[in-house]
Amino acid sequence: MNGRATVLLVIPHLGGGGAERVFTLLAGGLNPARFDIHLALVTQWNAAEFELPTWVTVHGIGARRVRAGWWGLLRLIWRLRPRVILSGMAHLNMLLLILRPLFPRNTRILVRQNGCIRAAGSISAYRKLYPKADAVVCQTAAMAGDLAKVAGVKRNLRVLPNPVDLEKTRAAALSGPNLWSGPGPHLLAVGRLAPEKGFDLLLQAFAKVRERFPSADLTIVGEGRERRALEMLAWLLGVRQAARLLGHVEQPAIWFKGATAFVLSSRHEALPNAVLEAASAGLPIVATAVSEGLLDLMRGDPGVWIAKEASAEAIAEALGEALERVTPDTRFAHSWVEAFSKDRAIAAYEACIDESLAEPVR
């Protein structure tokens, strides 16, 4: 269309997670003068409640699960005939690479790895399918090294930063009322309520922290299948009144104002946007040592406390050290987060798309 390359972004659905926020920013940020931008939602019918520019065409496939959406995806791809497909979740990446022989011949496929491969269920699937991609996008050099070593993916790796709307996040963190009450300290965590996020470890650590800081409270923003189990655990630990699970919040940054510290309690993690957003607002950060890429960014930062391991005891110890030094008003520069600014990151993605278009189709 008018010389523009058609780019199809594919995601299971929008809302709730870091990968979804990344694709929302990419869809709205790619240059519409150069690209005809389409967004496919495999398990969702529409994106009416999300703010997307008018030049982004949304295609809701509405399948019950990702793998059941293969036929709808295939029909959409043949109708649009995109020059480039960019996919954003591991299981969806696998599906597209399996279907690749059925796509129009000149279709390039870029897949974004959104998690730690060592925590994945089947390394053999990575070894077999990821080399078929025109590019595999990783969030850090450490993740790229992991894919090269564990899955044998080498020549098509690209390291691109997650796009983060730093200005919007900072504005949300500064405007509006302080949503916290009581003296604190006020602890904040954001993420899906899933085992890998380690919120059970955080609740156990929080119970220990309350022994030293009796007025401490904890707010966890996010939704997921572990909600009832976490609520029961909080009750068993005797912290149910001090620990609240808010569910999904469209803009978690509204909770940054007045927060004493942001906590990343994950058992395994790649590079979550939640911690990047917290860093952009200057929050003190307490994190588990679960990602070499994340550690490379945060190591030596005076506003970051790293737990020795992903355990309740280690998280409690790191929290205790942090809370001895900070108050709800303490903020840090975290200058390393500037590399993830939306404009810089989207420019890097556009360069990757251009590079793939210049190379022969695999």
Side-chain angles (χ1 to χ4, degrees):
M1 294 176 64
N2 302 321
R4 296 179 298 165
T6 298
V7 176
L8 176 62
L9 308 179
V10 186
I11 198 78
H13 54 80
L14 289 178
E20 290 87 350
R21 290 200 296 278
V22 165
F23 270 64
T24 302
L25 288 173
L26 285 174
L30 292 174
N31 187 350
R34 300 186 57 230
F35 304 110
D36 181 24
I37 305 159
H38 296 256
L39 176 64
L41 308 177
V42 181
T43 61
Q44 190 173 332
W45 282 113
N46 60 63
E49 70 268 38
F50 298 95
E51 296 181 7
L52 290 169
T54 56
W55 60 79
V56 179
T57 305
V58 178
H59 306 270
I61 294 172
R64 288 184 300 172
R65 59 186 66 181
V66 165
R67 64 184 179 184
W70 72 272
W71 178 243
L73 266 175
L74 190 58
R75 292 178 61 191
L76 176 64
I77 289 166
W78 272 98
R79 179 159 61 86
L80 296 178
R81 293 178 177 264
R83 297 283 304 282
V84 175
I85 297 173
L86 174 59
S87 170
M89 301 285 278
H91 57 312
L92 183 52
N93 298 344
M94 302 291 186
L95 176 63
L96 285 166
L97 291 170
I98 289 170
L99 293 174
R100 179 166 196 166
L102 304 177
F103 293 168
R105 187 174 178 277
N106 68 340
T107 307
R108 278 81 169 174
I109 300 181
L110 315 183
V111 298
R112 175 182 177 273
Q113 178 62 19
N114 66 303
C116 176
I117 188 173
R118 293 178 188 272
S122 176
I123 299 300
S124 63
Y126 282 95
R127 287 185 174 276
K128 182 177 180 180
L129 293 171
Y130 267 34
K132 298 178 184 294
D134 293 277
V136 177
V137 175
C138 300
Q139 300 159 54
T140 66
M143 180 187 288
D146 205 29
L147 272 170
K149 182 177 180 180
V150 178
V153 179
K154 296 179 181 179
R155 65 187 178 91
N156 56 347
L157 288 170
R158 304 290 185 274
V159 177
L160 304 180
N162 284 353
V164 179
D165 196 333
L166 302 181
E167 292 74 18
K168 183 176 180 179
T169 300
R170 287 165 178 159
L174 290 172
S175 63
N178 184 336
L179 299 177
W180 304 87
S181 60
H186 308 302
L187 305 179
L188 177 66
V190 178
R192 287 179 297 107
L193 305 185
E196 62 268 23
K197 297 297 183 179
F199 291 135
D200 56 326
L201 302 178
L202 177 55
L203 286 171
Q204 294 172 61
F206 177 63
K208 296 177 183 294
V209 166
R210 290 264 298 177
E211 296 173 6
R212 292 177 59 185
F213 301 90
S215 60
D217 55 65
L218 168 66
T219 294
I220 299 175
V221 174
E223 193 55 86
R225 64 183 184 274
E226 295 289 302
R227 184 184 184 97
R228 298 189 71 174
L230 292 172
E231 290 174 340
M232 178 60 72
L233 177 60
W235 180 78
L236 291 171
L237 291 168
V239 296
R240 186 68 186 89
Q241 298 303 313
R244 54 185 168 184
L245 278 66
L246 283 187
H248 174 68
V249 174
E250 186 62 33
Q251 199 169 20
I254 63 174
W255 285 90
F256 289 173
K257 188 174 185 178
T260 307
F262 181 90
V263 190
L264 179 71
S265 57
S266 298
R267 288 181 166 87
H268 51 81
E269 192 69 82
L271 188 60
N273 265 35
V275 76
L276 298 177
E277 292 171 355
S280 74
L283 268 66
I285 296 170
V286 176
T288 48
V290 292
S291 163
E292 192 60 37
L294 193 57
L295 288 177
D296 287 344
L297 289 172
M298 299 193 303
R299 192 177 284 116
D301 187 327
V304 176
W305 287 261
I306 305 295
K308 296 176 182 177
E309 60 182 9
S311 70
E313 293 75 14
I315 296 170
E317 182 180 351
L319 277 168
E321 293 173 2
L323 295 179
E324 291 287 353
R325 291 189 51 193
V326 300
T327 70
D329 297 320
T330 304
R331 294 295 181 264
F332 295 89
H334 300 312
S335 58
W336 48 267
V337 81
E338 299 300 327
F340 299 88
S341 70
K342 180 178 66 172
D343 291 344
R344 291 174 64 175
I346 289 174
Y349 269 88
E350 290 184 345
C352 183
I353 292 171
D354 289 338
E355 183 180 340
S356 72
L357 289 172
E359 294 179 350
V361 178
R362 292 189 187 282

